[in-house]
């Protein structure tokens, strides 16, 4: 049998055996063959055993995964993609973070390969367990109060003093409320509030360079979004997780994650979501030097965005992808591609310049990323003095003592400018960067 034929046979067996429809396909089977998913949900393992005549899971090569440590990624177990399993995982994550704040903020060891992808396997499979949750439902006033509690954390980049501990504390409250709650639209709204808090915590940890903790909260956000029946939010979170993989220099992982997001939303993705995911796909191809695949992904991103409706018709988690943001992302990716093909740098200058023209002046952080990205592109085009001027414009927007990702991007520019240290403007700018973010100007 082909992969698709095997998947269809398993789906047919499950329908006959359980009366429930499943969505196994050749994409899943390929993941199993490559070992990206090492322990599928119980229904799929049972179907594969029946169709292939295997006596046990081990005969199919499926081995029960083990936990790898307190902050390591948690491999998907049978119950992890059920409402009860998701609540248990959220509870474990927040309790660890609250009791071990210093360890949670430590850099940790980021997962990659199968250790990163396996916990996401259930995203492409049906959520199980709602029938086993006949407990009490929420009241509308309680749900609205929990949703209001997410409003401030959404603005965390402009909220002084708001750290991940506060967001994790709010997530703990949501988790407590979800324990034992029955199915229903209001329960799903609470799961979405939890998913937003988990994604915000992941982004905060990512910004602080605590990559292991960021990964764990991003995966938790995907799971909670699955329980909320909000595939669009889950896909946006997968896009954030892929961005982290690219930032860590793991483009293959990022492309795998984006492929999962695209596959899981293939039937219902809005044009704006398709544009976001295509821009993230282009990111991976740029890092790998896949010129033609990169241009194809950029074409999809731009054509999908052209079909998108007004921002006020989109869910709030997609409202950040406006024309300026898309131009900035594509421009930065052209800069990545220029490391393999320097002639692509001129496109980076054009796109990032357009982003700066379109940016809302109030979005200071976004403009700072644009300025640094444009400065890095001008190093490639051989204009180090202009690059230094742009860095000087960006520096006042960086918070001393807590530069976050902006500081890391400035350090990247400083490192890339090493070959231009004979230019006085470059030496001066590198010295300022070193003073702000602790980079060594001689490196």
């Amino acid at each position: 049998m082909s992969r698709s034929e095997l998947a269809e046979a398993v789906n047919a067996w499950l329908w006959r055996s359980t009366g429930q429809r499943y969505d196994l396909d050749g994409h899943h089977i390929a993941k199993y063959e490559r070992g990206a998913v090492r322990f599928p949900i119980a229904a799929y393992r049972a179907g594969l055993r029946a169709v292939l005549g295997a006596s046990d899971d081990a005969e199919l090569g499926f081995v029960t995964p083990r936990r790898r440590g307190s902050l390591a990624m948690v491999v998907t177990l049978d119950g992890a993609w059920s409402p009860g399993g998701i609540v248990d995982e959220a509870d474990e994550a927040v309790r660890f973070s609250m009791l071990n704040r210093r360890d949670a903020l430590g850099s940790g060891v980021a997962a990659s390969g199968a250790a990163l992808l396996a916990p996401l396997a259930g995203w492409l499979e049906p959520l199980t367990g709602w029938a086993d949750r006949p407990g009490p439902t929420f009241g509308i006033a309680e749900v609205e109060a929990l949703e209001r509690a997410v409003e401030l954390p959404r603005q965390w980049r402009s909220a002084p003093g708001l750290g991940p501990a506060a967001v994790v504390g709010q997530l703990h409250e949501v988790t407590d409320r979800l324990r034992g709650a029955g199915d229903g639209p209001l329960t799903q709204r609470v799961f979405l509030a939890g998913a937003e808090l988990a994604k915000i915590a992941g982004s905060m940890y990512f910004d602080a360079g605590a990559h292991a903790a960021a990964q764990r909260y991003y995966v938790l956000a995907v799971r909670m979004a699955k329980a909320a029946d909000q595939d669009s939010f889950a896909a946006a979170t997968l896009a954030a997780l892929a961005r982290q993989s690219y930032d860590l220099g793991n483009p293959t992982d990022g492309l795998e994650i984006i492929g999962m997001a695209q596959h899981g939303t293939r039937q219902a993705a809005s044009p704006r979501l398709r544009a976001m995911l295509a821009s993230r796909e282009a990111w991976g191809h740029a890092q790998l030097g896949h010129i033609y695949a990169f241009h194809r992904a950029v074409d999809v991103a731009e054509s999908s965005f052209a079909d998108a409706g007004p921002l006020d018709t989109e869910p709030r988690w997609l409202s950040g992808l406006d024309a300026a943001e898309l131009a900035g992302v594509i421009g930065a990716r052209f800069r990545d591609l220029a490391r393999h093909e320097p002639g692509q740098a001129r496109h980076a200058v054009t796109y990032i310049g357009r982003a700066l023209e379109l940016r809302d002046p109030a979005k200071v952080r976004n403009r700072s990323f644009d300025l640094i990205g444009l400065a890095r592109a001008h190093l490639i085009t051989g204009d180090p003095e202009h690059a230094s001027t742009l860095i000087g414009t960006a520096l006042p927007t960086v918070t001393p003592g807590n530069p976050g990702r902006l500081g890391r991007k400035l350090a990247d520019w400083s490192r890339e400018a090493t070959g231009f240290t004979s230019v006085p403007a470059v030496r001066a700018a590198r010295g300022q960067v070193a003073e702000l973010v602790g980079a060594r100007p001689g490196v």
Side-chain angles (χ1 to χ4, degrees), residues 86-92 94-95 138 146 168-180 190 194 197 220 224:
I86 292 168
V87 171
D88 287 342
E89 175 60 22
D91 186 65
E92 180 182 338
V94 299
R95 286 182 184 278
F138 289 92
L146 290 172
V168 168
Q170 288 184 318
L171 179 57
H172 190 203
E173 180 180 354
V174 171
T175 301
D176 280 346
R177 302 286 186 87
L178 282 167
R179 188 169 300 284
V190 177
L197 289 169
L220 177 59
M224 298 190 84

Side-chain angles (χ1 to χ4, degrees), residues 39-199:
F39 203 68
I41 62 171
Y44 288 164
R45 298 198 315 274
L48 287 166
R49 289 195 306 269
V51 172
L52 298 175
S55 59
D56 55 31
D57 291 335
E59 194 171 338
L60 295 173
F62 298 140
V63 179
T64 304
R66 306 275 186 229
R67 293 185 183 267
R68 297 175 179 268
S70 55
L71 264 182
M73 296 298 293
V74 180
V75 180
T76 304
L77 303 176
D78 281 347
W81 287 88
S82 67
I86 292 168
V87 171
D88 287 342
E89 175 60 22
D91 186 65
E92 180 182 338
V94 299
R95 286 182 184 278
F96 180 87
S97 297
M98 293 171 70
L99 294 172
N100 303 274
R101 292 183 181 180
R102 183 173 298 178
D103 289 344
L105 284 169
S107 60
V109 178
S112 61
L116 174 61
L117 300 173
L120 297 168
W123 152 248
L124 295 174
E125 299 166 348
L127 189 71
T128 62
W130 275 124
D132 299 326
R133 293 176 62 85
T137 57
F138 289 92
I140 184 64
E142 182 182 13
V143 172
E144 290 177 346
L146 290 172
E147 290 174 336
R148 285 195 297 273
V150 186
E151 293 175 2
L152 177 61
R154 287 194 200 115
Q155 311 300 320
W156 66 272
R157 291 186 176 90
S158 58
L162 181 63
V167 176
V168 168
Q170 288 184 318
L171 179 57
H172 190 203
E173 180 180 354
V174 171
T175 301
D176 280 346
R177 302 286 186 87
L178 282 167
R179 188 169 300 284
D183 186 14
L186 292 178
T187 299
Q188 290 180 328
R189 285 172 60 175
V190 177
F191 265 110
L192 178 59
E196 288 199 69
L197 289 169
K199 183 176 183 289

Side-chain angles (χ1 to χ4, degrees), residues 8 33 36-37 65 81 114 141 146 156-157 160 221 243 253 283 292-293 308 318 341 352 375 408 417 433 439:
E8 290 172 4
E33 289 177 345
V37 177
W81 287 88
L146 290 172
W156 66 272
R157 291 186 176 90
R243 177 192 63 180
D253 287 348
W283 199 323
Y292 297 109
L318 295 178
E341 176 53 59
I352 302 176
R408 294 198 291 277
V433 170

